[in-house]
């Protein structure tokens, strides 16, 4: 091999070495560097169905099937017994010319990926025709019985019968004139197609001498993408209206076991019953309620809308007076008040939860949590059953001892730490407030500061409004009434997605939406739009256009996911747990300006479960 060909042969290796030594695609410490380097140096798969045929006395044709690796770039042909070197072959065959008649040659066929990594190669021998020997220039017979089965909106299968020619080699499959595969089989499945689209499938045969038939063609049109129309409930009506509640009822359609209930456009809950009471409403206020049928796949109907106005409290203008706390412990608070003469009884609420009804002028609220602040409301009910707006007061159940002894502090710290862990796991606003109250009782110090830092880190996930990191209550009491910005709503991420390959229509938490880029099936792997899902499960997505590196950070739990277009390594860093790991995936690709990743990445993000329904051809991603 001369020096010029030696440099050509070494070029891919030099490129690969440069990439590794400059840190291309390396993230993390020594272990991550080692795993990343190994991932970048993995060679692509070899070609398959490699065949050699003498075309005449000076030419040999090599044909093969390229590997399905997404990083595959081209093929090299190297002469083992002579100085032949051909690079950058991107087709499925190559003709070597200028050879000697009646001479046997040995060739090595290598695959090369986009990073310059090359495979060991596959050896094949070929012999040119003799000067005296006749050259076969007759193509083989055509396939017969060409037909289509399993026709869907994004895939179909063609079946055929191979001819009986003794020197038959393979069938060549084309879609709209583009070669898709060379195979010795009698069927082939096309996937990742577009609904309601016409295609032409052509099958040609090739013999061992490289002769190719004219081919047999068949037109195929994919079916239309059907939209799942979910039936609506019937008999929907408002059955009861009070000052602070409205009850609605309905009849579910056949095949529907669950309905989603909305108040003024906000999802309140899912129900398997036939009635539901919306509580904690305001008196004299108009509301809109929507009932949507829900399939097990998450698909929702358009919904049946109802309206109702809660009763006014104008006929019961008198409230209790002198509302005060009489006594309390770590699990109960006793309140006292003076009832107006127009009231028959009072109702007691704590943080919006109904606690009881009494005609007495005192009430003991039990079952409370130690150290937690509560907003207590007392409403009056007159002889007509009308309920007043109520009078509020805030009080805190007794907390842990403030003893400065070492053992007492240790015990209180452990309890506060445990409550913090509960809040971190549940992301419940009530648990967050309990942790806040317990931490505020601790004396100042490093350990208290650490807990306050963790408290601040989960604040925006647990409650929808700002809270003081000092642990003090944001509730104030003035003249027996309370002004509170407490919020029991939990700021949650999307928990379910329903996607369909080839379709931009999708469902997020049961609500219909449209994606800018539809999922696709590429080389048998289902690829989904990354940003569409990742931002809905709490990740901030950053993309470096120069390196095509994608870095996703989730501030709420310190998790970081790093991946790169055309790179098959996924790196995950769990910063709060000091745990790093990497794994191999099908490399992300960019289509129409949008990054698509394999479904497996979604489960790596946050532990989501991914399923594919072969009947509905839908992907469901659930937490």
């Amino acid at each position: 091999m001369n020096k010029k060909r030696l440099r050509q042969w070494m070029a891919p290796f030099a490129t690969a070495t440069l990439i590794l030594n400059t840190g291309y695609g390396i993230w993390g410490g020594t272990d991550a560097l080692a795993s990343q380097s190994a991932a970048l140096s993995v060679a692509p798969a070899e070609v398959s169905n490699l065949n050699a045929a003498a075309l005449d006395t000076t030419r040999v044709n090599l044909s093969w099937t390229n590997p399905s690796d997404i990083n595959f770039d081209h093929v090299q042909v190297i002469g083992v017994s002579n100085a032949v070197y051909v690079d950058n072959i991107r087709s499925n065959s190559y003709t070597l010319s200028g050879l000697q008649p009646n001479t046997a040659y040995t060739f090595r066929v290598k695959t090369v990926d986009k990073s310059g990594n090359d495979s060991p190669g596959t050896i094949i021998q070929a012999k040119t025709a003799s000067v005296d020997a006749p050259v076969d220039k007759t193509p083989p017979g055509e396939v017969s019985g060409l037909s289509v089965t399993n026709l869907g909106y994004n895939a179909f299968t063609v079946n055929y019968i191979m001819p009986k020619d003794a020197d038959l080699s393979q069938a060549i499959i084309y879609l709209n004139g583009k070669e898709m595969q060379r195979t010795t089989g009698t069927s082939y499945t096309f996937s990742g197609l577009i609904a309601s689209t016409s295609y032409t499938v052509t099958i040609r045969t090739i013999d061992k001498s490289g002769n190719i038939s004219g081919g047999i063609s068949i037109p195929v049109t994919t079916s239309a993408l059907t939209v799942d129309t979910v039936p609506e409930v019937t008999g929907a009506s408002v059955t009861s209206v009070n000052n602070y509640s409205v009850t609605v009822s309905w009849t579910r359609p056949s095949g529907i076991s669950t309905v989603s209930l909305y108040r003024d456009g906000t999802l309140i809950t899912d129900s398997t019953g036939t009635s539901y009471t919306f509580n904690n409403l305001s008196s004299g206020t108009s509301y809109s309620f929507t009932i949507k049928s829900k399939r097990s796949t998450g698909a929702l109907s358009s919904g049946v809308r109802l309206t109702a106005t809660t009763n006014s409290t104008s006929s019961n203008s008198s409230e209790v007076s002198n509302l005060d706390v009489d006594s309390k412990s770590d699990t109960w608070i006793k309140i006292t008040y003076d009832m107006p003469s127009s009231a028959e009884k009072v109702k007691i609420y704590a943080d919006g939860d109904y606690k009881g009804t009494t005609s007495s002028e005192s009430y003991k609220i039990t079952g409370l949590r130690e150290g937690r602040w509560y907003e207590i409301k007392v409403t009056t009910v007159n002889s007509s059953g009308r309920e007043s707006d109520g009078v509020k007061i805030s009080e805190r159940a007794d907390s842990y001892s403030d003893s400065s002894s070492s053992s007492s502090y240790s015990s209180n710290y452990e309890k506060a730490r445990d409550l913090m862990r509960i809040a971190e796991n549940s992301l419940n606003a009530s648990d967050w407030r309990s942790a806040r109250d317990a931490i505020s009782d601790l004396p100042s110090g490093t350990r208290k500061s650490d807990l306050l830092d963790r408290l601040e880190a989960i604040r925006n996930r647990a409650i929808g409004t700002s809270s003081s990191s000092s642990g003090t209550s944001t509730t104030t009491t003035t003249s027996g009434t309370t002004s509170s910005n407490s919020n029991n709503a939990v700021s949650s991420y999307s928990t379910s997605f329903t996607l369909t390959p080839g379709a931009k229509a999708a469902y997020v938490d049961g609500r219909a939406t449209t994606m800018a880029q539809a999922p696709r099936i590429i080389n048998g792997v289902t690829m989904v739009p990354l940003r569409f899902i990742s931002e809905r499960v709490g990740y901030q997505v950053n993309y470096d256009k120069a390196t095509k590196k994608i870095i996703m950070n989730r501030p709420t739990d310190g998790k970081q996911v790093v991946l790169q277009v055309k790179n098959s390594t996924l790196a995950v860093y769990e910063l709060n747990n000091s745990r790093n790991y990497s794994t191999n995936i099908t490399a992300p690709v960019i289509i129409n300006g949008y990054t698509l990743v394999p479904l497996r990445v979604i489960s790596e993000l946050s532990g989501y479960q991914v399923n594919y329904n072969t009947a509905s051809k839908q992907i469901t991603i659930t937490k």
Side-chain angles (χ1 to χ4, degrees):
M1 184 180 296
N2 60 36
K3 291 183 178 180
K4 179 179 179 181
R5 294 200 181 277
L6 179 61
R7 285 195 299 271
Q8 291 175 325
W9 188 81
M10 287 298 294
F13 298 98
T15 303
T17 303
L18 176 61
I19 291 171
L20 291 174
N21 290 341
T22 54
Y24 177 84
I26 304 299
W27 317 293
T30 303
D31 292 341
L33 178 64
S35 63
Q36 183 69 5
S37 298
L40 287 173
S41 63
V42 173
E46 303 287 2
V47 299
S48 57
N49 301 317
L50 181 59
N51 183 62
L55 299 182
D56 50 38
T57 58
T58 61
R59 295 185 303 157
V60 170
N61 178 264
L62 303 182
S63 63
W64 58 83
T65 299
N66 288 322
S68 60
D69 300 45
I70 197 167
N71 281 338
F72 168 76
D73 188 70
H74 66 273
V75 166
Q76 292 177 347
V77 175
I78 302 169
V80 176
S81 56
N82 61 344
V84 173
Y85 176 87
V86 184
D87 199 359
N88 295 317
I89 302 172
R90 289 183 166 83
S91 64
N92 296 85
S93 65
Y94 188 80
T95 297
L96 298 152
S97 58
L99 306 179
Q100 295 298 316
N102 197 29
T103 303
Y105 292 89
T106 302
F107 302 100
R108 183 186 299 273
V109 179
K110 290 186 172 187
T111 58
V112 184
D113 65 18
K114 293 179 175 62
S115 298
N117 302 310
D118 61 349
S119 68
T122 302
I123 297 293
I124 190 168
Q125 292 184 333
K127 185 177 181 180
T128 54
S130 171
V131 175
D132 299 327
V135 177
D136 178 12
K137 294 185 178 181
T138 302
E142 304 287 1
V143 300
S144 59
L146 181 58
S147 62
V148 176
T149 57
N150 301 323
L151 179 62
Y153 72 94
N154 67 347
F156 61 82
T157 300
V158 291
N159 305 278
Y160 49 88
I161 300 171
M162 296 284 275
K164 302 297 184 179
D165 297 56
D167 62 343
L168 180 67
S169 175
Q170 301 174 86
I172 309 176
I173 313 294
Y174 299 83
L175 184 66
N176 289 348
K178 180 181 178 181
E179 181 177 331
M180 304 299 293
Q181 183 69 283
R182 296 192 178 202
T183 177
T184 57
T186 57
S187 67
Y188 183 78
T189 298
F190 298 89
S191 61
L193 306 178
I194 302 173
S196 303
T197 301
S198 297
Y199 294 91
T200 298
V201 176
T202 301
I203 302 181
R204 295 189 174 105
T205 58
I206 181 172
D207 62 20
K208 294 177 182 179
S209 298
N211 300 305
I212 300 176
S213 70
I216 300 294
S217 299
I218 186 173
V220 184
T221 300
T222 51
S223 57
L225 181 63
T226 58
V227 178
D228 183 10
T229 303
V230 183
E232 302 287 1
V233 300
T234 57
S237 63
V238 176
T239 56
S240 176
V241 178
N242 293 310
N243 294 70
Y244 304 104
S245 66
V246 172
T247 301
V248 298
S249 63
W250 61 87
T251 299
R252 294 191 307 271
S254 176
I256 299 296
S257 60
T258 304
V259 299
S260 293
L261 301 169
Y262 298 78
R263 185 190 67 214
D264 292 337
T266 300
L267 176 64
I268 302 302
T269 188
D270 286 346
S271 172
T272 57
T274 56
S275 66
Y276 181 78
T277 299
F278 294 87
N279 291 308
N280 299 322
L281 307 180
S282 298
S283 62
T285 304
S286 295
Y287 290 93
S288 170
F289 307 99
T290 304
I291 308 169
K292 295 185 179 183
S293 301
K294 184 176 182 179
R295 290 201 193 279
S296 58
T297 60
L300 293 170
S301 68
S302 299
V304 176
R305 184 173 177 268
L306 302 170
T307 58
T309 301
T310 52
N311 295 333
S312 172
T313 59
S314 58
S315 62
N316 183 15
S317 58
S318 297
E319 302 282 5
V320 299
S321 57
N322 301 319
L323 175 61
D324 200 2
V325 174
D326 176 76
S327 56
K328 62 177 181 174
S329 76
D330 57 348
T331 59
W332 56 264
I333 296 174
K334 183 179 179 182
I335 56 174
T336 59
Y337 41 83
D338 294 331
M339 291 176 58
S341 59
S342 59
E344 272 195 350
K345 53 190 176 182
V346 296
K347 289 185 175 180
I348 314 298
Y349 300 86
D351 279 353
D353 296 330
Y354 172 73
K355 292 296 183 181
T357 301
T358 181
S359 56
S360 172
E361 294 190 325
S362 66
Y363 190 84
K364 187 175 183 180
I365 307 171
T366 60
L368 305 182
R369 294 182 60 171
E370 184 178 17
R372 174 176 164 179
W373 280 94
Y374 287 90
E375 181 186 79
I376 300 170
K377 182 174 74 172
V378 181
T379 65
T380 58
V381 181
N382 64 14
S383 58
S384 300
R386 291 188 176 271
E387 191 174 347
S388 69
D389 287 329
V391 177
K392 300 176 182 178
I393 190 173
S394 287
E395 187 56 59
R396 180 181 179 183
D398 283 344
S399 188
Y400 311 115
S401 170
D402 290 328
S403 170
S404 60
S405 69
S406 175
S407 61
S408 175
Y409 170 77
S410 177
S411 175
N412 290 346
Y413 171 79
E414 290 174 358
K415 292 179 180 179
R417 181 195 60 197
D418 290 344
L419 289 173
M420 171 59 71
R421 289 174 177 170
I422 292 173
E424 286 178 324
N425 291 330
S426 70
L427 295 181
N428 180 276
S430 297
D431 292 335
W432 185 91
R433 284 192 286 267
S434 296
R436 176 200 63 190
D437 296 339
I439 295 171
S440 66
D441 285 340
L442 297 174
S444 299
T446 302
R447 294 210 290 178
K448 178 177 181 178
S449 297
D450 290 342
L451 290 180
L452 288 175
D453 288 342
R454 291 170 64 183
L455 184 77
E456 181 70 14
I458 66 169
R459 179 187 65 184
N460 291 333
R461 297 177 67 194
I463 60 177
T465 184
S466 298
S467 301
S468 171
S469 62
S470 64
T472 57
S473 172
T474 59
T475 305
T476 57
T477 305
T478 306
S479 303
T481 63
T482 301
S483 173
S484 172
N485 62 354
S486 63
N487 189 343
N488 286 316
V490 175
S491 177
S492 61
Y493 302 128
S494 298
T495 58
S496 70
F497 303 82
T498 303
L499 314 175
T500 305
K504 293 184 178 181
Y507 293 93
V508 178
D509 291 335
R511 291 181 287 275
T513 187
T514 301
M515 295 180 288
Q517 172 61 47
R520 288 192 178 185
I521 297 178
I522 302 175
N523 294 329
V525 178
T526 301
M527 308 290 283
V528 297
L530 173 64
R531 190 180 293 270
F532 177 81
I533 297 175
S534 61
E535 290 184 344
R536 286 172 167 80
V537 296
Y539 281 87
Q540 298 170 355
V541 181
N542 296 294
Y543 177 68
D544 187 335
K545 188 174 181 180
T547 63
K548 297 183 179 180
K549 185 184 293 184
I550 303 154
I551 301 177
M552 300 184 298
N553 293 294
R554 189 161 64 178
T556 51
D557 61 1
K559 193 170 186 177
Q560 184 181 78
V561 179
V562 182
L563 58 161
Q564 191 173 33
V565 174
K566 296 184 180 179
N567 192 312
S568 57
T569 297
L570 170 74
V572 179
Y573 303 90
E574 297 184 2
L575 305 182
N576 289 347
N577 298 324
S578 298
R579 189 170 80 95
N580 306 332
Y581 65 95
S582 63
T583 185
N584 287 332
I585 59 169
T586 299
V589 296
I590 296 179
I591 296 179
N592 299 327
Y594 296 91
T595 303
L596 301 187
V597 298
L599 273 177
R600 179 181 175 186
V601 171
I602 304 305
S603 61
E604 295 286 351
L605 290 178
S606 308
Y608 280 61
Q609 298 296 317
V610 179
N611 293 288
Y612 179 73
N613 188 314
T614 55
S616 64
K617 297 183 175 64
Q618 287 183 325
I619 304 162
T620 57
I621 304 169
T622 56
K623 184 69 171 176

